[in-house]
Amino acid sequence: MSLVPVIAVDGPGGAGKGELCIRLSRKYGFSLLDSGAIYRVLAYAALKKGIALDDTVSLVALAKSLNLEFKEENNAVAIILDNENVSKFIRNEETGSAASKVAVISEVRAALLQRQRDFRLAPGLVADGRDMGTVVFPDAQAKIFLDASAEERARRRVLQIEGRGVKADYQKILGEIKERDDRDRNRATAPLKPAPDALVLDSTHLSIEEVVDTAVKFVESKLGK
Ligand code: DC
């Protein structure tokens, strides 16, 4: 029996993985795993319950009992925690940073492993994260590592925030990006790094269309699509 195909897309925050993964999942009719959202929801739920972000025992218990659902709503994926749509509460840098802190704990990662693997259902999966190709789906048929310089990711983030009519501080955002990168890259368990068999794509000077075209060619060479 052949395994359900997985396209693993890893890389630092803000490199464009989210948009690439949505495009790939639509193109192939595959479902989507936003693993960062799982870490974000865990951190959000911990903060709400007053659990410290280094309290391994409580965080593992919370990770195991997390009542989390991803629901398609108005062409977007809504994140539902305990029947409440928390999507708009988890997409800020405070929760991103908290997620990166709980993600350092190897016992927490282990508690979330099977939950992520359960997304591997026919006809296929596009998995977005930091360790999709290295740890969660080491047998993924196509692995992509999407990178971009911290300065370019900060510039894109500023444009995104200012596009909503809110003033953004480039230096502050750049500092936060570098701090989170550093934590994600240097942790002992499942650090952010390309799998040896990943296509490393640097999007610093590429448009989203160029990224998608390159990724699609690579995926098709691997999946025989
Ligand atoms: O992709 P994101 O920005 O939503 O992820 C938030 C944090 O969660 C990220 O900084 C580190 C952690 N994370 C992880 O450790 N492993 C993953 N597969 C996904 C996210």
Side-chain angles (χ1 to χ4, degrees):
M1 199 181 73
S2 67
L3 277 171
V4 171
V6 174
I7 304 170
V9 181
D10 291 305
K17 284 174 294 146
E19 180 66 22
L20 172 62
C21 287
I22 289 171
R23 303 267 195 116
L24 291 173
S25 74
R26 288 202 183 127
K27 183 168 176 66
Y28 300 117
F30 287 5
S31 48
L32 187 63
L33 164 62
D34 176 359
S35 62
I38 301 179
Y39 286 94
R40 283 173 185 263
V41 167
L42 176 65
Y44 171 79
L47 291 173
K48 231 177 136 179
K49 287 179 192 288
I51 295 173
L53 299 178
D54 60 355
D55 178 348
T56 302
V57 172
S58 304
L59 288 170
V60 167
L62 187 60
K64 286 187 175 156
S65 64
L66 210 58
N67 178 15
L68 168 66
E69 270 179 281
F70 291 89
K71 264 194 196 157
E72 221 22 86
E73 267 178 25
N74 310 322
N75 248 336
V77 180
I79 319 283
I80 314 289
L81 171 67
D82 293 329
N83 299 317
E84 184 201 349
N85 187 341
V86 296
S87 313
K88 61 175 182 292
F89 304 125
I90 65 160
R91 295 282 171 218
N92 50 48
E93 188 47 38
E94 190 195 347
T95 315
S97 163
S100 159
K101 287 177 188 157
V102 300
V104 165
I105 306 170
S106 59
E107 292 88 339
V108 167
R109 305 195 69 85
L112 294 174
L113 202 52
Q114 194 54 46
R115 190 187 282 268
Q116 296 173 81
R117 289 186 175 151
D118 288 344
F119 280 79
R120 189 176 197 163
L121 298 171
L125 178 68
V126 180
D128 171 339
R130 301 288 185 289
D131 61 342
M132 298 295 98
T134 50
V135 175
V136 182
F137 303 108
D139 59 351
Q141 289 82 344
K143 300 179 187 177
I144 297 168
F145 189 89
L146 187 61
D147 211 344
S149 72
E151 289 73 17
E152 173 61 14
R153 287 182 283 132
R155 194 186 68 81
R156 292 178 192 168
R157 183 93 186 104
V158 166
L159 286 178
Q160 200 182 43
I161 295 171
E162 295 194 335
R164 297 199 295 259
V166 180
K167 190 100 197 75
D169 179 341
Y170 172 85
Q171 286 304 337
K172 178 167 179 270
I173 290 172
L174 181 61
E176 289 167 349
I177 284 177
K178 286 187 170 166
E179 191 188 317
R180 190 135 70 92
D181 276 2
D182 201 52
R183 199 182 298 114
D184 294 349
R185 286 199 165 106
N186 295 314
R187 65 187 177 217
T189 310
L192 169 65
K193 64 170 184 206
D197 50 347
L199 168 75
V200 179
L201 236 173
D202 185 338
S203 79
T204 305
H205 304 292
L206 299 180
S207 67
I208 178 68
E209 302 309 330
E210 289 169 318
V211 168
V212 171
D213 283 354
T214 309
V216 163
K217 284 195 189 100
F218 175 71
V219 166
E220 297 189 349
S221 74
K222 292 287 177 181
L223 263 58
K225 282 229 169 228

